[in-house]
Amino acid sequence: MKKEKKKKAQLPFRLNILFFVVFILFAVLILQLGVVQILNGESFQEEIDKTTQDTTKVPVPRGEIYDRNYNVIAKNKPMYAITYTPPKGVQAQDRIAVARKLSQFIDMFHPDKEEREKQINRITDRDKKEYWYLENEEEAKSRLTPEEAADLKPADQYKTILKRITVNEYENLTMQDLEIILIKKELDRAYALTPQIVKSENVTPEEYARVAEHLSELPGINATTDWVREFPNDETLKNIIGNITTEKEGVPAENIDYYLAKGYNRNDRVGTSGLEQQYEDLLRGRKEQVEYTMSKSGVILDSDVIVSGESGKDLVLTIDMEFQKMVDEILRDELKKNGGKERYLRDVMAVVMDPNTGELLAVSGQSYYDDPETEAAEKDKIVDSAYKTLYDAHRPGSIVKGATVLAGYESGVISPGDGLQDKPVKIAGTPIKSSWTNLGYVNDLDALRRSSNVYMFHIAMKMGGEYNYQYGKSVTFNPLAYTKMRNYFRQFGLGALTKVDYPFEEKGFVGPTNIAGAAGLFQDFAIGQYDTYTAMQMAQYVSTIANGGYRLQPHFLKEVRNPTPEIDNLGTVYRSMNTKILNKIEMSESNLKRVQEGFRQVFQAPGGTAYNYFKGTDFNAAGKTGTAENEIYKDGKLVANTINLTMVAYAPYDNPEIALSVVVPNLNQNSTSSINHDITRRIFDAYFSLKEKRAKGESTEENKEGEEEEEKQDNE
């Protein structure tokens, strides 16, 4: 009995110990929970709620371009657009899902049959294999054994699987499949948090509305607006305005680091030529900056605009578009007239500028379309080639004689009024050189008016050190004379960059000096038969003479305007382009006036080489005509000997408003064409006629367009 009682007494004691242990454990657990929740709870919650902020820059509309009379030249045509902005860490399966869903709301195929075929042809076998892989991922992965996978990197595993997908497996893709592939290709081009255009061309209002209605089902997709560059004047001046890349092209690969450093996205459109490139920084505008808040997994939780965007600034050019069209038409007409008779004539060029400001009023080039693979009928087509006024350099001929005479004055080898007998010149070892005819006795003014080569030859010989020239004998010649005369020429812009506001301009060919026959070649240089110059350089040269000796920078930009939301209105002036003097020629005013008088006589005095074409005109022009011999080579072989016809002029003589250069290269060697005179006369007539009509308030092309637009709006 006593033993049983003892056993019963021990049982509660053990239970108490067990309960006590359980209590201690629960106490420890509760204490730990308290530590987690109370002491560390906030830090753990912060870790759970931890997010990241990323900023992206959204492009804004590009600035527009206007002529000096505020007529639009290049503008933005708004259009519907479907865009895709992927979050970080988006996977291929995510994009294919979006592409599949989006294909239900838009038609990715071009409405034109030929363009549609091009789209389909751009879908490669690899595109089809990747699509099949994503649609059959488990089966595709089974093509690779575990042993093979263990020896390959993930990228190599993927390549191997793609190689094992056969043509039979993807050759029967439907048009719906191909459309999904096209959409996915656009989605694949997108960078994280950067809007990428999926479709902007031919987006219908119905497509736009359907996408907008289902945005909640299309992660990253947005229905918005885009723009495309439009040129109301078609091809007129288009190659001077230049090009911009498409959204698909993005920033040029060769300059990608430069553009990324300046805040561009890879798919941004940028100017790649012409004024679009020259003034990219003004036209691009200020991008809208959006800050995205994302979870650790990359899901976008919120977005906030931290810097509002601003459209690009608008450019107002110095070009008078109505006058520009008139000059283009004159050049086209004269090219057609002469093209049939002149075998090698392909181009005509003209530059018209204000000699007092450097403003370019018209810059024109017209050329026969020259492509050996083009059908014969197409080769007769004339295309705009205004860029050649800056890119193509030609021998100028006698137009440089004004600079040669001034070089003679300033170097002291001749004085105003000096004369000589115009008769052939012969230096030992060189051909006989002469003027276009024996002109008899000529002084400096006669030499300009009647275009004496011989007078310029004697200036060259004296500048080279020869003061006792004898027919047929050798002459003293210091090659440094080239440097000396070229320095005089450069003061006028001949042989120097004009500094025009354009991405590129040609400086021209500079002939060698220390070669056999250098003295004879120097004579050629003095009459414009050696070095080459562009039409822009020639226009700057004659403007410098016209305005009294100031070499001005030619410029296309007149002013920059701030963007404005008002339609058909320009914003306030942001910046005006001031006249920039590059240099003042280091020559006496009286000597320059002497050359100006010689230029006046060329146009207004009997015997002047341009007199018969300009006598009786009331705009009192002055200038100089030019003819230069030129050789055409092909594959290193001489094909033909031709001539260049040139002209520089300004008007009115006593108060110049415009100055111009005309260059017509490669006419037949025995050509009797007066195309340089005809173009110059017609350009002057067009300018002063247009000026008179505007002064009287008579209808011009730009007035008619404005009246028609107002009438259209009234009717609406």
Side-chain angles (χ1 to χ4, degrees), residues 148-163:
E148 289 176 314
D151 295 333
L152 296 172
K153 295 178 180 179
D156 293 327
Q157 293 177 21
Y158 183 66
K159 290 178 182 178
T160 303
I161 292 172
L162 290 185
K163 288 180 181 178

Side-chain angles (χ1 to χ4, degrees), residues 482-495:
Y482 276 103
T483 301
K484 192 173 184 180
M485 188 175 284
R486 281 182 176 134
N487 285 339
Y488 286 119
F489 275 39
R490 273 193 288 270
Q491 290 188 56
F492 294 94
L494 296 174

Side-chain angles (χ1 to χ4, degrees), residues 221-272:
I221 296 294
N222 192 20
T224 181
T225 56
D226 189 35
W227 54 269
V228 65
R229 221 44 162 173
E230 189 174 59
F231 300 90
N233 299 288
D234 298 324
E235 296 300 314
T236 304
L237 210 70
K238 189 175 177 181
N239 58 53
I240 290 292
I241 298 300
N243 297 313
I244 59 175
T245 60
T246 65
E247 181 270 340
K248 288 185 178 181
E249 292 168 337
V251 298
E254 63 272 19
N255 298 319
I256 192 165
D257 291 337
Y258 166 79
Y259 284 109
L260 292 179
K262 295 189 72 173
Y264 284 79
N265 293 329
R266 292 174 184 270
N267 60 354
D268 280 348
R269 286 167 281 200
V270 300
T272 55

Side-chain angles (χ1 to χ4, degrees), residues 106-378:
I106 66 172
D107 183 358
M108 202 64 181
F109 290 113
H110 198 284
D112 181 75
K113 185 177 179 181
E114 289 186 7
E115 291 298 323
R116 194 181 312 126
E117 286 298 321
K118 290 179 183 178
Q119 283 181 299
I120 294 173
N121 291 335
R122 283 195 288 267
I123 298 175
T124 65
D125 286 345
R126 183 181 176 89
D127 294 329
K128 295 174 183 178
K129 287 182 178 182
E130 289 179 342
Y131 177 72
W132 188 92
Y133 176 95
L134 292 171
E135 292 293 287
N136 305 273
E137 191 167 358
E138 290 301 320
E139 183 181 346
K141 288 181 177 179
S142 68
R143 305 286 171 90
L144 203 64
T145 66
E147 294 76 17
E148 289 176 314
D151 295 333
L152 296 172
K153 295 178 180 179
D156 293 327
Q157 293 177 21
Y158 183 66
K159 290 178 182 178
T160 303
I161 292 172
L162 290 185
K163 288 180 181 178
R164 294 177 181 179
I165 298 172
T166 65
V167 175
N168 291 334
E169 290 173 311
Y170 64 76
E171 67 176 351
N172 295 320
L173 293 178
T174 66
M175 290 298 288
Q176 178 67 19
D177 292 325
L178 296 179
E179 185 171 44
I180 294 172
I181 292 174
L182 286 175
I183 295 174
K184 183 181 175 296
K185 281 170 70 72
E186 296 303 319
L187 303 186
D188 288 343
R189 295 177 58 243
Y191 295 95
L193 305 179
T194 302
Q196 168 71 37
I197 292 176
V198 180
K199 181 182 180 183
S200 60
E201 188 178 357
N202 302 312
V203 176
T204 66
E206 292 76 18
E207 287 178 314
Y208 182 86
R210 285 196 298 268
V211 173
E213 186 180 352
H214 294 86
L215 289 179
S216 60
E217 307 167 36
L218 299 163
I221 296 294
N222 192 20
T224 181
T225 56
D226 189 35
W227 54 269
V228 65
R229 221 44 162 173
E230 189 174 59
F231 300 90
N233 299 288
D234 298 324
E235 296 300 314
T236 304
L237 210 70
K238 189 175 177 181
N239 58 53
I240 290 292
I241 298 300
N243 297 313
I244 59 175
T245 60
T246 65
E247 181 270 340
K248 288 185 178 181
E249 292 168 337
V251 298
E254 63 272 19
N255 298 319
I256 192 165
D257 291 337
Y258 166 79
Y259 284 109
L260 292 179
K262 295 189 72 173
Y264 284 79
N265 293 329
R266 292 174 184 270
N267 60 354
D268 280 348
R269 286 167 281 200
V270 300
T272 55
S273 65
L275 298 176
E276 295 275 17
Q277 179 183 353
Q278 179 73 22
Y279 292 109
E280 170 66 24
D281 288 346
L282 291 169
L283 291 165
R284 66 178 290 207
R286 184 183 66 215
K287 289 184 176 183
E288 179 178 273
Q289 293 188 37
V290 181
E291 185 180 73
Y292 289 96
T293 302
M294 294 175 295
S295 67
K296 291 178 68 176
S297 61
V299 176
I300 296 175
L301 303 175
D302 192 17
S303 64
D304 185 36
V305 176
I306 57 175
V307 177
S308 58
E310 182 179 82
S311 298
K313 290 179 170 54
D314 297 323
L315 306 184
V316 178
L317 304 186
T318 61
I319 296 291
D320 184 326
M321 206 60 179
E322 185 173 9
F323 180 53
Q324 173 75 40
K325 290 180 181 178
M326 296 169 80
V327 174
D328 285 350
E329 183 57 35
I330 290 168
L331 265 59
R332 278 194 298 270
D333 185 44
E334 292 297 332
L335 185 57
K336 287 178 184 176
K337 284 181 184 177
N338 291 269
K341 298 175 286 185
E342 305 287 347
R343 181 178 179 183
Y344 299 102
L345 174 61
R346 308 300 301 170
D347 312 293
V348 289
M349 288 151 277
V351 173
V352 186
M353 63 187 288
D354 184 334
N356 305 299
T357 64
E359 294 181 352
L360 293 164
L361 305 177
V363 176
S364 181
Q366 303 295 319
S367 303
Y368 281 114
Y369 188 75
D370 199 4
D371 184 345
E373 297 181 1
T374 302
E375 294 182 7
E378 186 70 11

Side-chain angles (χ1 to χ4, degrees), residues 69-90:
N69 298 310
Y70 306 111
N71 300 306
V72 68
I73 298 176
K75 65 179 183 178
N76 301 324
K77 179 183 177 182
M79 57 203 308
Y80 289 127
I82 309 301
T83 64
Y84 176 58
T85 306
K88 284 190 173 181
V90 67

